[in-house]
Amino acid sequence: MNDDAQQKKGLTRRNFLKSAGGVAAVAGMAAGGLAAGVREGSAAAGSMPKKWDGTYDVVIIGSGFAGLAAAMEAKNAGASAVVIEKMAVHGGNSIINGGDFCAPGTRLQKEAGVQDSPDLMYNDMMKAGLYLNHPELARTLADQAKDALEWCENYVGAKFTRLNFHGGHSVKRANQTVNASGSELVNKMLAKTRALGVAVQTRTKMERMIADKDGRIVGIEVKTGYRFPDEKSGKTAYIKARKAVILTSGGFSNDVPLRRIEDPRLTEKFESTNQPGATGEALLAACLAGAMDVQMDWIQLGPWTSPDEKGFGNVPLFCERLVGYGPMIDPAKGKRFFKETGNRKERADAIILLGHPVIIMGDSYAVPKQVFPRALEKGLESGAVKKFDSLEALAKNYAMPVEAFKQEIARWNSFVEKKKDSDFDCMIFPDARPTVTPPFYAARLWPKVHHTMGGLVIDTNAQVFGFDLKPLKGLYAAGEVTGGVHGAVRLGGVAMADCVVFGRIAGKNAAKETAWG
Amino acid sequence: MAGLFFNVVIVCVFLVSLSPAASAAPQKTNLSKQQSCTGCHGEFSSVLPAKHPRVAGKDISACASCHAPDPQNKATAKPYSSKLHLSHVQPDAKLDCLACHTWKPGKAFGVKGAKKPLGTLPAEGMDQIRQIFASWASSKYLDAHHGKKNVTCSGCHERKLPESGDTVASDRCLACHGDIENLAKKTEPKDFPDRNPHKSHLGTIDCAVCHKAHQPSKAYCLDCHKNFNMKIRFSEGGASGTAK
């Protein structure tokens, strides 16, 4: 073979895109910030190590719902397994999640007399996802969610005790854990995983995937004793995956450089509801090893979060109960600017366009009636929700033009009387009343990055696909690190179902792989 | 940070007489310049029990004919005691490690006069040891608190030379501090019982996530729950705070 031919062969589609991915990663680093440091050291799948420091059939990266579900299924299918977690604490976002698990036809739905079906859930997901969902993945999720929930109850031992509603669903189908937190499930999963004899190693960060000469993933390079986010910490080690690596490393909502590449509006001005380790270097390491990404720029923001408290906080519970009862105001003008009952994406986009935080407010009729007392109490305690004796005091606090604001409230009140909003067509609920009764309550709103819909391309077996559109042997993925399941918008309560359904699939299939060595 | 050479069983009587109550207090001047035992203590006999055989020599290698390091704690006869460190790294005793230890950067680290080195130690490893011993002797953090109670490195760490990224397994903490349920009872807040750092939605996490030995401790809860009224001992402000 002459040099020309070699060069041609070298420039396959996969190689070309791999180098393009590399450029993106470098650009991300140049953009600065915490996550750029986190990404240092990630490199293309490269040479095999001389010696492996540990050998398992299946190596799982990430200790949230998806990773632990995969670990249990792999182990129960006869494979040896290990779970690595880069953070000092297990559970990732799963341990701070709200504990709502959407599934159709569940026990709690039957008890509440709710009629539901996998078809209905599938349709809701597709509609919210603007039909960009990979239909076979959405279908798999809707079809298997009930079984996954029952596995969590009966096998893992987690308790689900309440049925909730989330916007965009046709019916109540969110089965809530007993403590209204994903920790109920993830902690029980962790205990079960360990009881099965699978080690969960914290502070162990994957640096790169290791492939053989045919591109099959055969193991990973890690840093043990890693102290997030200090990239100088830790010691290099190599873990061999005889059957497969399963990537369940979550999304990248806290990765400013990466999310700016995908959605340039999402600068460091935007906080995230996620845990600090929700960065994208593991996803990119998979891309550098040949895995393909999809729909990475569909990044979900919650329009209901406050810049005055950290993470998800209490203001979302204040805001979402008040829409349709009280107005949302642009403090620069003292005027309304958008339909309060619009969907997540529309409202977040409208606030971002203004470029500064806005106000959601209610009076002493709407707030005590609508807002869960504990959320209000906690919001007031932290200062994210404020209480004012008069509209003037409220306007003054937010440096609003007082007269314009008072006129706008009068205009809003006239819409409430008529139950029709001529300005923005806000849905005004039948029991809403004009905003006149002091004291008034208000909170500032500024969207926070909540979920990254995009990620690695998988099929219904949780097998990752490469840039050659063929299975990337030896690599499976599940949960938020994957893309296509939710399309443009993930509905509330579907992340838990996504993680458990595809985590289980990945674990079972990884265990079935033929060992390479 | 590990303590292979720091926590051997006290067989050596030598040590006993080096306790703070020892009658023969060393001269405190120019300690940093002293690289021998006799430079401060005069004759060895001034710090040794009356029945100890006479020792000829100036530094710790004089002891090597009878005593040896016992890194694996296999209780060979007459090991050096790690507690020798406690009396020599006091804040006012600015002795360098190399007064008693031998070291070639990136290579062997050992005790002067001993036949075998304790292991290899890179340049940054030596820096780390110096910093951590200084902290252990005089900081406001958890390490010095343990030092005062005679807890040496291997009370918490594995018996090996320290490496970057070393941590402490929680069962080592709980062996002395009781089980987690009891700790949770002690730290249950009166106002918000569900804001208990030892019993939270995180389940059982490593003690070392919050309790740091060689740097300020910090309640991990506060990373997200900024407004919690939660204090942890040996935090940035020193030892004054108590866990509530």
Side-chain angles (χ1 to χ4, degrees), chain A residues 128-143:
Chain A
L130 302 180
Y131 298 92
L132 293 172
N133 323 51
H134 291 197
E136 69 286 359
L137 296 178
R139 170 57 72 185
T140 300
L141 193 158
D143 284 351

Side-chain angles (χ1 to χ4, degrees), chain B residues 55-68:
Chain B
V55 180
K58 289 184 174 178
D59 63 18
I60 200 166
S61 60
C63 312
S65 56
C66 296
H67 300 284

Side-chain angles (χ1 to χ4, degrees), chain B:
Chain B
M1 174 65 222
L4 72 106
F5 46 105
F6 315 125
N7 193 40
V8 272
V9 183
I10 312 165
V11 180
C12 183
V13 270
F14 180 39
L15 201 260
V16 177
S17 61
L18 282 177
S19 67
S23 54
Q27 301 149 19
K28 285 189 177 175
T29 50
N30 292 327
L31 275 169
S32 58
K33 291 182 182 167
Q34 302 296 343
Q35 293 295 311
S36 69
C37 306
T38 54
C40 295
H41 294 290
E43 289 299 311
F44 274 105
S45 60
S46 70
V47 288
L48 291 172
K51 287 181 183 174
H52 194 282
R54 212 183 76 79
V55 180
K58 289 184 174 178
D59 63 18
I60 200 166
S61 60
C63 312
S65 56
C66 296
H67 300 284
D70 183 20
Q72 300 306 318
N73 197 23
K74 289 188 177 143
T76 56
K78 300 173 185 169
Y80 290 108
S81 170
S82 63
K83 293 188 182 177
L84 269 173
H85 291 100
L86 273 174
S87 43
H88 287 92
V89 293
Q90 295 305 316
D92 53 350
K94 293 192 169 52
L95 268 187
D96 189 74
C97 308
L98 300 182
C100 295
H101 289 283
T102 56
W103 177 57
K104 287 179 189 163
K107 292 182 181 166
F109 178 87
V111 179
K112 279 184 182 175
K115 284 176 191 164
K116 284 184 185 171
L118 295 162
T120 58
L121 196 63
E124 61 271 21
M126 194 66 223
D127 292 344
Q128 192 185 20
I129 286 185
R130 284 195 175 106
Q131 280 170 18
I132 286 174
F133 269 80
S135 178
W136 181 47
S138 60
S139 77
K140 293 173 179 171
Y141 307 136
L142 209 51
D143 51 359
H145 183 70
H146 281 79
K148 279 175 204 148
K149 310 264 178 185
N150 277 341
V151 178
T152 56
C153 305
S154 71
C156 306
H157 293 283
E158 285 177 64
R159 291 175 184 282
K160 63 176 182 63
L161 286 176
E163 285 174 29
S164 160
D166 281 347
T167 186
V168 176
S170 298
D171 53 0
R172 298 293 283 271
C173 310
L174 298 177
C176 297
H177 296 282
D179 73 295
I180 196 79
E181 289 295 323
N182 278 335
L183 292 175
K185 270 181 211 157
K186 285 186 195 167
T187 58
E188 187 178 290
K190 280 176 193 148
D191 45 357
F192 295 98
D194 59 341
R195 294 181 188 179
N196 188 336
H198 293 114
K199 193 174 185 179
S200 78
H201 65 100
L202 298 178
T204 304
I205 64 172
D206 290 340
C207 304
V209 171
C210 303
H211 301 284
K212 312 279 188 194
H214 311 302
Q215 54 180 296
S217 293
K218 193 186 167 206
Y220 182 72
C221 305
L222 299 176
D223 276 7
C224 296
H225 304 282
K226 281 200 287 201
N227 60 324
F228 278 16
N229 176 25
M230 199 175 267
K231 288 175 182 159
I232 185 166
R233 297 184 75 193
F234 312 108
S235 61
E236 199 67 68
S240 56
T242 48
K244 271 186 185 171

Side-chain angles (χ1 to χ4, degrees), chain A residues 324 336-343 346 411-412 415 419-429:
Chain A
R336 291 172 67 224
F337 63 97
F338 197 75
K339 176 180 179 174
E340 285 81 354
T341 50
N343 74 31
E346 293 168 342
R411 186 171 173 82
W412 162 259
F415 296 153
K419 298 283 182 279
K420 176 153 179 56
D421 169 15
S422 320
D423 287 345
F424 299 105
D425 197 28
C426 175
M427 187 195 294
I428 295 170
F429 290 99

